[in-house]
Amino acid sequence: MAEAHQAVAFQFTVTPEGFDLRLSREALKHIYLSGIAAWKKRLTRLKNTFLTGVYPATPSSWLVVVMTTVGSLYCQVDLSMGLISHIRQCLPSSRYLSFQNRTLLSATLFSTGVWISGILIFRQTLKLLLSYQGWMFEPHGKMSRGTKVWAAVMKVMTGHKPMLYSFQSALPKLPVPSVQATIHRQYLESVRPLLDDAQFSKMEVLAQDFQNYTAPRLQKYLVLKSWWATNYVSDWWEEYIYLRGRGPLMVNSNYYAMAARAGNSVHAILLYRRRLDREEISPVKLLGLVPMCSSQMERMFNTTRIPGKETDILQHLVDSKHVAVYHRGRFYKLWLYYSGRLLGPRDLELQFQRILDDPSVPQPGEEKLAALTAGDRVPWAEARARFFGSGKNKVSLEAIERAAFFVVLDEEEHCFHRDQEDSLDCYAKSLLHGRCYDRWFDKSFTLIVYKNGKLGANAEHAWADAPIIGHLWEFMLATDTFQLGYSEGGHCCGEPNLGLAPPQRLQWDISEECRMAIDGSYGVAQVLADDVDFHCFLFTDFGKGRIKRCRTSPDAFIQIALQLAHFHDKGRFCLTYEASMTRLFREGRTETVRSCTSESTAFVRSMADPAQSRCERLRLFKLAAEKHQLMYRLAMTGAGIDRHLFCLYLVSRYLGVESPFLAQVLSEPWRLSTSQTPQQQIRMFDLEKFSDYVSAGGGFGPVADDGYGVSYMIGGENLITFHISSKFSSPETDSRRFGRHLRQALLDIAGLFDAPPNKVPN
């Protein structure tokens, strides 16, 4: 076959006269073009590093400064006030440098110094501006004069076509909160509605003892780390919360995302990767002014979690030229480039079709191989070291682990049916765990394409948080729909290159002992997957439009509704986790908002008390919403408590210091874990006009065995999507029952605003 000959760079035979060497011109051409492409990438990366380092200046601005300085000298105007003459005197004498050339060189050195000084002054000024957080605490719609000036200056300083990482060095460091603020202002206040008087008094004693005797020493080490490290939380958070977890990633750590388009999706994702490599993606900004940290995007592609006995590691490659594909129990390596150019959508369609048409059967042990990534980490680490350290197993495993990402061509069909209540439930479970052996849970993300063209993703959590995948997901949906498109016959646009070599089938030699290890991991994963209860629904009675007309934050509205639903579901309150981002700081990830507050519980109790008036309920609701907004803003601005307590605990373990208070705090279960999936981080299309193209968001498994995991996405003016998870094994939880309570809670709260009371609280 022609493609087989093209895949061989040279052939030789041994003759009595010596070697008969025959070079393949076509193969050498591909090698040459690949080398050129690799060097182009290196040069682009070097150029981007330089441009990011000198932002907002540019090489042309340096040239302008030099020409201005030199021109002023010719006009006999010394802008340097004698510094150029001083520099000229310090230059070594040389017969190759005339007086005029020495003057020109001195002027160039002076101009370069002025140019660099301007860059440093800009960076420090921007860092000071980004350290201002008063804008976040001002009432909605009301802005002080100082904040207006700040916003105007920020708009000028951040509006000059920044690259993805242009603001990284200007972002402030995450501050270390004071121990007193963490313990008294927030922690004790957050647990007060959950404890009776005796329990709270005991906790107060533990907290005071910790603050007086143990915390000062721990805090000193933490402050020292904050001076030295870029972020005092992120590296420990990644290692101890994610990489050191020895349980299954499936359900417990990984999360999923939904969508309703396939076809061009892989090509669109690769276009995103190319823009990411070239740093052509604009930094995400709050209010269009304040840039957020982009460091998590660096490991989106070419990244795999490698198992270890005590801790895993994240393996990230600079580049990868292939994806790994799974279909009907078989693994393939699909090259993404041909003659140094990225494969087009029609070429990728051809390659995927070749995989679908392949009649071969799985090799012994191949079909359920990926179950090793779904089970406990220690058995996978041991199996990897023992059975995949050499030979064809090592080569094939490296093809998967070094892939840009993982693709599953799933034989099932999933989509949303309005007349089928559990259609999204099945869709969610499939994305979260599949059959427990048809997802490679160690990859940064797995793209899942179903038989009916619908798709979704399963993402590993250690390398980044959900908004990062969300950014990619929205780009992919918009690019597929509005840029790439399809032909009248339903194919990707363009003509396929029939000369492409087919995808490479990966080869395995899996022993009986290795198959036993696979079966063991599969058994663990299957028990976990069967225990997950999922319920997803679209709430269409209203969305953020109606909530905003109530003069309430949509997030606060939903969080208070979750408290009301949980109280109706279980008859009590619980410690509640809401994820908030800290990406206003360099290498920031998340912080916890403790949504169950004294104010929210007071409102919930008022809803259960028929004697309470509507006016009183509205007053209590407003107090609860304002308190939630305050807690959220504190978390975003580095004044949260849970990451601080987590780091204090780690320092105590390093020092061998026992703290009953920290032990109690870190053992408290989150029986209601919630997260909002951000929507339209990149505003590429109108949600209302193209509602059929909007993602349904994503979800995750429950954190506590007897608790709920709730993810929600506010998808426009009239839509909120909810993903609720729990475990069948818990007699206290039922995801569908909680969903019914949540629907009713949303309607009950909105009903308070339908007919205004006699006196609306200010």
Side-chain angles (χ1 to χ4, degrees):
M1 295 184 295
E3 61 268 17
H5 289 291
Q6 292 172 10
V8 180
F10 62 89
Q11 299 173 339
F12 67 90
T13 56
V14 180
T15 66
E17 290 79 18
F19 287 101
D20 180 16
L21 184 65
R22 288 173 292 170
L23 296 175
S24 170
R25 184 175 300 175
E26 185 68 21
L28 289 178
K29 174 185 174 183
H30 290 320
I31 293 173
Y32 168 76
L33 292 174
S34 296
I36 293 296
W39 274 105
K40 282 183 178 179
K41 280 191 173 182
R42 291 190 185 99
L43 292 174
T44 300
R45 209 168 284 127
L46 182 63
K47 180 194 75 172
N48 290 342
T49 300
F50 173 76
L51 293 177
T52 297
V54 302
Y55 181 85
T58 60
S60 58
S61 67
W62 171 83
L63 187 60
V64 169
V65 174
V66 172
M67 291 178 66
T68 301
T69 304
V70 174
S72 68
L73 291 178
Y74 279 103
C75 295
Q76 297 182 347
V77 177
D78 187 3
L79 297 177
S80 71
M81 297 191 310
L83 282 176
I84 293 178
S85 298
H86 183 71
I87 294 172
R88 184 177 59 227
Q89 293 173 4
C90 295
L91 290 176
S93 300
S94 173
R95 59 193 179 95
Y96 299 106
L97 284 176
S98 64
F99 179 83
Q100 186 175 7
N101 288 338
R102 287 161 62 88
T103 301
L104 182 61
L105 179 58
S106 301
T108 302
L109 292 175
F110 169 77
S111 301
T112 303
V114 170
W115 185 68
I116 293 174
S117 299
I119 294 170
L120 295 177
I121 292 171
F122 171 87
R123 287 299 175 95
Q124 291 303 313
T125 304
L126 184 57
K127 184 172 287 189
L128 288 173
L129 290 170
L130 291 174
S131 298
Y132 171 71
Q133 296 162 350
W135 60 273
M136 191 174 292
F137 295 91
E138 294 189 348
H140 182 69
K142 298 179 181 179
M143 188 180 293
S144 65
R145 184 176 299 175
T147 299
K148 288 180 180 178
V149 173
W150 169 84
V153 176
M154 281 293 299
K155 190 171 184 178
V156 171
M157 297 193 72
T158 62
H160 181 67
K161 297 180 181 179
M163 301 178 71
L164 180 60
Y165 303 119
S166 292
F167 300 118
Q168 286 298 103
S169 62
L171 292 175
K173 287 188 176 184
L174 183 69
V176 180
S178 69
V179 173
Q180 182 178 4
T182 292
I183 293 176
H184 289 281
R185 187 181 67 190
Q186 294 199 55
Y187 176 75
L188 290 176
E189 187 178 330
S190 72
V191 299
R192 186 64 188 95
L194 306 175
L195 305 176
D196 58 32
D197 292 342
Q199 292 172 326
F200 186 70
S201 296
K202 181 181 178 182
M203 182 55 72
E204 278 187 312
V205 172
L206 288 175
Q208 193 63 46
D209 182 71
F210 172 73
Q211 180 181 337
N212 292 338
Y213 301 106
T214 309
R217 182 185 177 196
L218 306 182
Q219 182 79 346
K220 288 177 182 177
Y221 282 95
L222 209 54
V223 171
L224 181 63
K225 187 193 176 187
S226 73
W227 292 345
W228 178 256
T230 307
N231 188 297
Y232 81 95
V233 175
S234 294
D235 56 339
W236 283 349
W237 186 255
E238 179 179 299
E239 178 180 357
Y240 289 96
I241 297 301
Y242 296 117
L243 298 180
R244 282 187 178 266
R246 300 296 82 198
L249 300 183
M250 185 192 75
V251 177
N252 293 330
S253 179
N254 287 28
Y255 55 93
Y256 66 87
M258 287 183 176
R261 288 295 177 271
N264 296 316
S265 56
V266 171
H267 185 73
I269 289 172
L270 295 174
L271 291 179
Y272 184 93
R273 186 180 74 155
R274 184 164 66 184
R275 292 186 63 184
L276 183 65
D277 289 341
R278 296 175 178 177
E279 300 181 24
E280 294 174 350
I281 299 172
S282 298
V284 178
K285 296 180 183 179
L286 284 182
L287 305 179
L289 290 176
V290 186
M292 295 197 291
C293 181
S294 304
S295 63
Q296 293 183 53
M297 290 183 169
E298 295 176 6
R299 297 182 293 183
M300 184 180 296
F301 297 96
N302 327 322
T303 299
T304 301
R305 180 167 172 166
I306 306 297
K309 290 187 177 182
E310 293 185 0
T311 182
D312 297 350
I313 62 171
L314 287 175
Q315 173 186 279
H316 174 67
L317 306 177
V318 174
D319 192 19
S320 176
K321 299 184 182 300
H322 71 278
V323 293
V325 183
Y326 179 92
H327 176 244
R328 286 194 319 202
R330 305 158 304 170
F331 292 87
Y332 297 83
K333 181 178 182 179
L334 193 161
W335 291 102
L336 301 173
Y337 293 85
Y338 180 79
S339 295
R341 300 179 68 86
L342 185 67
L343 293 184
R346 193 69 176 90
D347 293 332
L348 288 168
E349 180 186 342
L350 170 67
Q351 297 294 65
F352 286 129
Q353 190 61 50
R354 285 172 169 174
I355 293 174
L356 294 172
D357 295 340
D358 185 358
S360 63
V361 298
Q363 301 162 72
E366 181 183 17
E367 181 179 15
K368 296 183 179 179
L369 174 63
L372 289 170
T373 69
D376 291 325
R377 304 303 291 171
V378 173
W380 171 211
E382 292 174 345
R384 186 178 185 278
R386 186 174 181 184
F387 303 116
F388 299 90
S390 61
K392 61 176 68 173
N393 287 352
K394 180 180 180 181
V395 173
S396 296
L397 180 62
E398 285 184 346
I400 296 173
E401 292 180 341
R402 299 175 72 87
F405 54 94
F406 195 78
V407 179
V408 173
L409 303 178
D410 204 305
E411 286 294 290
E412 293 183 355
E413 294 187 10
H414 288 286
C415 65
F416 171 60
H417 298 286
R418 294 187 181 276
D419 56 346
Q420 186 177 340
E421 186 178 357
D422 65 343
S423 61
L424 280 180
D425 302 357
C426 300
Y427 198 168
K429 280 183 68 69
S430 175
L431 291 172
L432 187 65
H433 54 66
R435 297 186 181 90
C436 303
Y437 59 79
D438 53 355
R439 316 279 188 259
W440 199 271
F441 294 101
D442 286 352
K443 287 302 292 181
S444 56
F445 69 92
T446 296
L447 178 69
I448 302 145
V449 184
Y450 291 104
K451 193 173 183 178
N452 58 348
K454 308 304 181 185
L455 55 90
N458 182 288
E460 200 279 319
H461 210 326
W463 65 273
D465 301 307
I468 305 303
I469 281 291
H471 200 278
L472 164 67
W473 209 241
E474 291 177 7
F475 177 91
M476 181 268 292
L477 285 174
T479 303
D480 169 37
T481 305
F482 302 111
Q483 295 183 24
L484 300 178
Y486 297 88
S487 67
E488 292 183 0
H491 294 284
C492 297
C493 296
E495 293 296 327
N497 180 2
L498 300 178
L500 289 173
Q504 176 186 345
R505 176 78 185 275
L506 299 184
Q507 300 299 312
W508 307 92
D509 182 13
I510 301 176
S511 65
E512 185 64 32
E513 197 172 358
C514 182
R515 284 178 234 169
M516 291 176 62
I518 294 171
D519 291 340
S521 291
Y522 174 66
V524 170
Q526 191 65 57
V527 170
L528 179 59
D530 290 343
D531 195 24
V532 176
D533 177 21
F534 250 102
H535 178 52
C536 303
F537 67 92
L538 306 182
F539 183 81
T540 56
D541 292 77
F542 57 84
K544 68 179 180 181
R546 183 176 178 184
I547 296 174
K548 286 185 175 181
R549 288 196 295 272
C550 299
R551 297 181 181 180
T552 304
S553 156
D555 185 70
F557 188 99
I558 294 172
Q559 283 293 325
I560 296 171
L562 286 168
Q563 293 301 316
L564 181 57
H566 188 274
F567 187 77
H568 286 161
D569 186 79
K570 290 190 176 182
R572 62 180 184 272
F573 300 104
C574 71
L575 194 62
T576 305
Y577 180 110
E578 182 188 5
S580 165
M581 66 88 182
T582 56
R583 290 172 60 201
L584 294 176
F585 303 96
R586 195 169 182 182
E587 295 185 10
R589 291 198 59 163
T590 61
E591 178 56 275
T592 304
V593 179
R594 295 183 169 225
S595 302
C596 184
T597 62
S598 297
E599 290 79 2
S600 65
T601 56
F603 166 74
V604 170
R605 288 194 174 96
S606 76
M607 294 293 286
D609 183 0
Q612 291 285 359
S613 66
R614 179 183 293 175
C615 182
E616 178 63 11
R617 288 171 177 172
L618 279 171
R619 185 185 71 84
L620 293 173
F621 175 82
K622 183 176 181 181
L623 290 175
E626 289 175 350
K627 181 57 178 291
H628 182 269
Q629 281 295 90
L630 175 63
M631 300 293 289
Y632 203 97
R633 289 163 178 163
L634 288 172
M636 286 183 64
T637 53
I641 64 172
D642 284 280
R643 301 301 178 267
H644 185 205
L645 292 170
F646 164 75
C647 290
L648 289 172
Y649 175 75
L650 283 182
V651 174
S652 73
R653 297 302 301 267
Y654 282 133
L655 298 177
V657 176
E658 294 295 330
S659 171
F661 170 74
L662 289 176
Q664 175 67 25
V665 170
L666 272 295
S667 65
E668 294 168 345
W670 302 99
R671 290 192 171 90
L672 182 56
S673 180
T674 70
S675 178
Q676 179 184 171
T677 303
Q679 174 69 350
Q680 240 186 334
Q681 298 173 86
I682 42 177
R683 301 182 178 275
M684 303 188 70
F685 57 91
D686 189 322
L687 291 178
E688 305 304 318
K689 187 176 179 180
F690 301 100
S691 58
D692 290 342
Y693 300 99
V694 176
S695 165
F700 51 88
V703 174
D705 291 338
D706 57 349
Y708 292 106
V710 181
S711 174
Y712 53 94
M713 187 186 74
I714 304 170
E717 299 298 308
N718 301 295
L719 173 65
I720 307 173
T721 306
F722 289 97
H723 301 248
I724 304 169
S725 65
S726 61
K727 292 193 174 181
F728 288 115
S729 58
S730 172
E732 298 186 16
T733 58
D734 184 317
S735 294
R736 286 160 189 79
R737 183 185 70 205
F738 188 87
R740 291 193 295 271
H741 287 311
L742 180 54
R743 286 176 186 266
Q744 191 59 51
L746 291 165
L747 293 172
D748 288 346
I749 295 175
L752 295 174
F753 296 88
D754 285 343
N758 295 330
K759 182 180 179 182
V760 178
N762 294 323

